[in-house]
Amino acid sequence: MMRRAAACLVLMQGVAAQTVLPPLRAAYGAVPPSPHASLLLPFDARTAVAAFWSGPDFVVVADQPLPALSHLSGDHGLFSSPDVTVLERATVIRLYLPAHPQLSFSRQSDGWILQTDVSGHAGSSSAPSAGSMPIFMPGAVLFPQKQAGRVLMLPDPASGQRLLIAPSLGVTGGVPQGRRAEGYSIRPSLEGLVIAADSPQIALRGTAEGVVLDAVALDPLPVGEKEASSAPAPASVAAHGADWVWLGFGSVGGGQKASSRQPSRLDSAQTAFAAGQPWQALRVLDRTPASEAPATSTSTSTSTSTSTSTSTSTATRNDTAQIAGTFLHAAASLLAGHTGQAQDLNGARFGDAPATRVWRGLYLMQTGQNSQTASTLLAAGFAQMQAYPAAVRALMVPQAATYVARFGDAASAALLDPLPDESAYDLARALLQARAGQAETARVALENLTASSSAQTAAYARAALVGLMLEKDMISPATAAEAYGKLLENEGQPAALPSGPKATIRLGQAHAFALAEQPQAALAVLDKVLAGPDVPEDVLSSAYLAILRGLVFPETVRGAPAGGAALAAPLSAAERIGLIAAHLPHVEDGPAKAKLLAGYGRLLLAGGRLDAAVAAFGQAALLQDNPVAKADAEDLLAQAALQAHRLDVAQRALDRARHPGLPEDLATQCAYDAARLAVALGDPDKALSLLERDETDAGLELRGQVYEAQKRWPEAVLVLGRLAARSVPEDGVLTEPQQALVSRLATDAAAAQDSATLLRLKGWLAGRTLGAERDERFAMQIRSIKPLSPAH
């Protein structure tokens, strides 16, 4: 009861520290009741959803790619034109509802149903439970969303702001009233949790206890609550942290053993762990009943107050032992290589507490998760790990140092200095020297390490040496790829090539093949690599991105220097498209992928693959967080949709492309595409009004097309005549486009019975050809002229 009261007090303090945002209705204002409308979203029970407002759009996000919804349609009312974008790991549905009607979002047996709420009470069919209230913990905020789906990160469609979205598998009622705190805000939602991250530090992750929000940085924002306790901390906790007590570093021999009793199994496990034997600690703990707690004193007292005190003390010891046992089991599992049993290190209890956060970094490292998060946590806790007993330190700190040296940013790498003067840190030291520009020093150090008695260290050093020589242009990309291949063969080595160095070597070889303009070979190598400690998931994604970027934008690839292996035969457009399509799922969604998708869409459009181009441009526009780049992708989407005769898609894309700060060339292109859409929709007058002051070549060309479509021949002659006057030379051979323009102008002039223009064209050509067929047609047009005077 006392702990529950203390937790409630912390919660109220945390809530009071936040700024309350308006609820849904107050934020968007009351609107007149709308006719009833509904839209069924056929999500199965395994698909989690979030639903919220973004500017004029109501957005529903599902945590699964659902291609079957690409052609979703609603009734003829408010929901008649849903805009569906299918991503690799999510599906986003947008409904343009600028009036912000009151909506309800509820779970049905065949999916979720969105409908206008005539009662005026926006929300889900079930009110949020008390368990969904945020719980403020040391360094984090826990949202107890027990049925949370996959956490997603997407740009806000309206603003481009980074949104962290935790969809829900079941009905939670969403968040009717948002809150703002330092670095982030909780958005109002009808379902799921939506966090708008103002700071790049803010992160969101799913755990067994719910969704956890924290800040990941060397100097993180004050998310959650500071650790506080009314009871004085033990000396070991005051000097170090709770990790020392839980891991058994608090006293000689480990554990918190009292002199009046025999060591418990927890004590024995702690002793084994502190001696650098995590596998032995696991054996002890796995034999310990879950209910076992350290022995307590058997003395009794007739005093009620003494009895109460003893009961409270016993409960506290039991609780402490259970926490210690849980943490020790997870830590021992991690160091023993059983990462599946170490998930508690990434959970709500231990993942963000200052004393145990470094262990979350170790867990993320070992499971191949985001390298920037892992390296930041490891660097921030590097001094903490160095204070551990030598036997434990040897199991974790050298590999953590090497990891940070490889993947950490400059600030994280700087926290490793100075590294301990021990041979276990020589590889990390050489990598840091290479990063600092001390290429020759690093090269000599790596060459020395290739003779290490440790097969693993030697293999890592050989891979790093090839990478260093390639980076410093000491060898060509083709030579580097060949060298990596020999390392993979492992000929002449006394032991088999360990899996860690093998993954590192393959990553390097893929990079070398890409630089040597051999993307097929690069992708074939990369396809053999799985995310892990040596190739984290974001590093693997970036490697795929770099290779695909070379296929989409070939001019960005550095060619192989002279003397390298011969380049592979150039790929056809179809081969390039096939390789890109097969490997795009390996690239993380985000702005970098958005740029890649826009280029890929251009390839598809040029190849006539209109539906695929529409999908690629739609994904690019949704993933782009830069407003100008987003508008450009929307305009490309409109162009592809126009060619595919999907006029509704083109209209929505052009509506979203409107932006007051667009560059002049993009604004002009959007106007051209809006005019083309107006023509396609049967509104040529609107098209002409959009183009009436446009005297560019493209503007005149398009106006000519509109006049020709309307058979307004005199106006067509005027605009095409101006275009021809600036683009057709008075002498010299005419290019094919110039010949086509003159022939087209002559045809329009003949239809307008404009003899003067035809005669001027005859004099202008002065015997130059338009091509056999066009020359014959032009001659007929000249003969059709009625003489105006004897001179003709």
Side-chain angles (χ1 to χ4, degrees):
M1 182 67 71
M2 292 176 65
R3 290 205 314 270
R4 185 185 300 270
C8 290
L9 177 60
V10 170
L11 171 61
M12 294 309 295
Q13 290 172 341
V15 171
Q18 294 190 327
T19 302
V20 178
L21 299 177
L24 285 171
R25 189 174 186 85
Y28 305 124
V31 296
S34 302
H36 181 74
S38 64
L39 176 65
L40 175 66
L41 302 175
F43 302 145
D44 62 25
R46 296 168 298 177
T47 302
V49 299
F52 56 96
W53 287 100
S54 172
D57 292 336
F58 185 76
V59 182
V60 178
V61 177
D63 70 345
Q64 305 287 339
L66 303 169
L69 295 185
S70 295
H71 300 287
L72 177 72
S73 61
D75 57 23
H76 298 291
L78 286 175
F79 307 147
S80 60
S81 300
D83 190 327
V84 181
T85 304
V86 181
L87 302 172
E88 298 294 349
R89 298 166 186 82
T91 302
V92 180
I93 301 169
R94 288 174 287 178
L95 290 156
Y96 183 68
L97 302 171
H100 284 257
Q102 295 295 330
L103 303 175
S104 66
F105 192 59
S106 55
R107 192 78 168 91
Q108 306 292 325
S109 59
D110 50 354
W112 289 79
I113 187 165
L114 175 69
Q115 55 189 336
T116 51
D117 187 0
V118 295
S119 68
H121 299 291
S124 295
S125 60
S126 175
S129 65
S132 65
M133 292 293 291
I135 299 174
F136 292 79
M137 308 181 304
V141 181
L142 169 65
F143 300 88
Q145 193 172 323
K146 293 299 184 182
Q147 291 184 297
R150 183 189 299 117
V151 172
L152 303 168
M153 182 171 67
L154 293 172
D156 181 14
S159 66
Q161 186 178 26
R162 186 167 63 105
L163 297 183
L164 308 173
I165 303 170
S168 174
L169 285 165
V171 175
T172 68
V175 179
Q177 186 166 298
R179 296 185 180 278
R180 182 176 289 114
E182 185 175 359
Y184 71 95
S185 59
I186 304 172
R187 288 275 192 92
S189 66
L190 265 65
E191 193 53 68
L193 175 68
V194 182
I195 303 291
D198 301 319
S199 168
Q201 296 185 14
I202 299 300
L204 193 68
R205 71 183 189 277
T207 71
E209 300 90 343
V211 185
V212 176
L213 181 143
D214 69 345
V216 179
L218 297 177
D219 184 20
L221 293 171
V223 174
E225 292 297 312
K226 292 183 178 180
E227 204 160 10
S229 174
S230 57
S236 56
V237 174
H240 299 284
D243 54 327
W244 274 61
V245 175
W246 296 337
L247 295 174
F249 304 159
S251 60
V252 178
Q256 302 177 73
K257 293 185 283 290
S259 58
S260 62
R261 61 179 175 84
Q262 293 295 319
S264 70
R265 288 183 179 178
L266 175 60
D267 295 328
S268 299
Q270 289 174 328
T271 299
F273 188 87
Q277 299 175 357
W279 47 91
Q280 177 63 27
L282 281 179
R283 280 197 288 268
V284 173
L285 288 172
D286 288 340
R287 294 197 304 268
T288 303
S291 60
E292 181 178 306
T296 58
S297 173
T298 58
S299 62
T300 59
S301 169
T302 57
S303 167
T304 303
S305 60
T306 302
S307 175
T308 302
S309 175
T310 301
S311 175
T312 302
S313 177
T314 300
T316 301
R317 284 198 299 271
N318 289 347
D319 189 53
T320 300
Q322 288 176 356
I323 294 174
T326 300
F327 181 71
L328 179 61
H329 192 281
S333 297
L334 186 68
L335 295 190
H338 306 312
T339 55
Q341 300 177 33
Q343 294 179 354
D344 280 325
L345 300 177
N346 193 41
R349 173 177 282 175
F350 304 121
D352 300 283
T356 54
R357 213 175 189 208
V358 68
W359 285 91
R360 178 180 160 213
L362 287 165
Y363 175 81
L364 297 179
M365 177 184 76
Q366 293 293 3
T367 52
Q369 299 188 51
N370 185 276
S371 67
Q372 292 307 299
T373 300
S375 60
T376 298
L377 295 174
L378 290 173
F382 192 66
Q384 175 185 340
M385 290 188 290
Q386 287 180 293
Y388 286 168
V392 177
R393 194 167 62 234
L395 295 176
M396 55 193 301
V397 187
Q399 63 175 327
T402 302
Y403 184 92
V404 175
R406 286 188 66 194
F407 303 118
D409 59 21
S412 294
L415 290 181
L416 302 182
D417 187 31
L419 284 172
D421 189 18
E422 301 171 23
S423 60
Y425 298 91
D426 285 346
L427 179 58
R429 200 177 344 267
L431 295 175
L432 290 174
Q433 289 166 346
R435 289 185 58 155
Q438 303 171 30
E440 183 59 21
T441 303
R443 185 188 65 79
V444 172
L446 290 171
E447 284 185 347
N448 291 336
L449 286 172
T450 61
S452 171
S453 58
S454 165
Q456 182 154 300
T457 298
Y460 279 129
R462 294 186 189 102
L465 184 59
V466 175
L468 176 64
M469 296 176 72
L470 174 60
E471 181 186 354
K472 301 303 180 183
D473 289 327
M474 299 177 186
I475 55 175
S476 71
T479 302
E482 184 179 355
Y484 282 123
K486 291 180 179 178
L487 293 181
L488 288 171
E489 293 170 2
N490 202 40
E491 290 183 3
Q493 299 303 317
L497 183 64
S499 59
K502 184 181 292 185
T504 300
I505 293 167
R506 282 178 171 156
L507 182 68
Q509 188 181 41
H511 175 61
F513 273 134
L515 293 179
E517 298 187 38
Q518 299 183 53
Q520 285 175 301
L523 290 170
V525 171
L526 211 56
D527 286 343
K528 299 176 183 178
V529 180
L530 297 176
D534 295 276
V535 186
E537 59 186 14
D538 58 315
V539 173
L540 185 58
S541 170
S542 296
Y544 275 109
L545 175 65
I547 297 170
L548 296 183
R549 189 183 290 125
L551 286 168
V552 173
F553 311 107
E555 66 279 2
T556 64
V557 178
R558 187 184 78 191
L567 297 179
L571 296 173
S572 67
E575 288 173 324
R576 289 165 64 197
I577 287 172
L579 282 172
I580 297 165
H583 293 90
L584 265 174
H586 296 290
V587 181
E588 291 179 352
D589 288 340
K593 186 174 183 178
K595 184 177 180 180
L596 183 71
L597 283 164
Y600 175 51
R602 291 178 187 271
L603 289 178
L604 293 168
L605 193 58
R609 305 188 186 191
L610 300 181
D611 287 339
V614 167
F617 288 135
Q619 292 174 345
L622 184 66
L623 294 175
Q624 185 56 257
D625 58 0
N626 179 280
V628 173
K630 181 187 284 287
D632 186 42
E634 295 283 13
D635 181 65
L636 290 169
L637 171 58
Q639 294 177 31
L642 277 169
Q643 292 190 40
H645 304 291
R646 296 174 64 178
L647 303 186
D648 57 335
V649 174
Q651 182 67 72
R652 289 196 297 268
L654 287 172
D655 287 342
R656 290 194 295 262
R658 292 196 184 100
H659 189 277
L662 290 183
E664 184 177 353
D665 58 342
L666 180 54
T668 300
Q669 184 60 54
C670 288
Y672 294 157
D673 293 329
R676 292 187 179 97
L677 176 62
V679 172
L681 291 171
D683 191 354
D685 291 337
K686 179 179 179 181
L688 292 172
S689 69
L690 289 168
L691 300 168
E692 62 181 348
R693 297 184 180 179
D694 192 326
E695 288 295 317
T696 64
D697 289 357
L700 292 173
E701 162 69 24
L702 187 52
R703 285 164 67 187
Q705 291 178 17
V706 176
Y707 284 132
E708 288 169 340
Q710 292 184 289
K711 295 183 172 23
R712 294 168 61 176
W713 305 116
E715 290 97 329
V717 169
L718 284 175
V719 295
L720 292 182
R722 293 204 294 277
L723 181 59
R726 71 173 63 153
S727 59
V728 179
E730 295 184 7
D731 51 37
V733 178
L734 301 181
T735 65
E736 168 59 30
Q738 291 167 348
Q739 292 174 2
L741 176 58
V742 172
S743 179
R744 180 179 162 198
L745 177 57
T747 299
D748 290 353
Q753 298 183 356
D754 187 345
S755 301
T757 296
L758 287 171
L759 291 173
R760 281 197 298 273
L761 284 176
K762 179 181 179 182
W764 200 357
L765 288 172
R768 292 178 290 176
T769 182
L770 300 176
E773 185 177 342
R774 291 176 183 140
D775 283 345
E776 183 177 347
R777 183 165 60 248
F778 184 62
M780 292 177 59
Q781 291 164 344
I782 292 295
R783 286 196 297 271
S784 70
I785 296 175
K786 296 180 180 179
L788 298 179
S789 69
H792 295 149

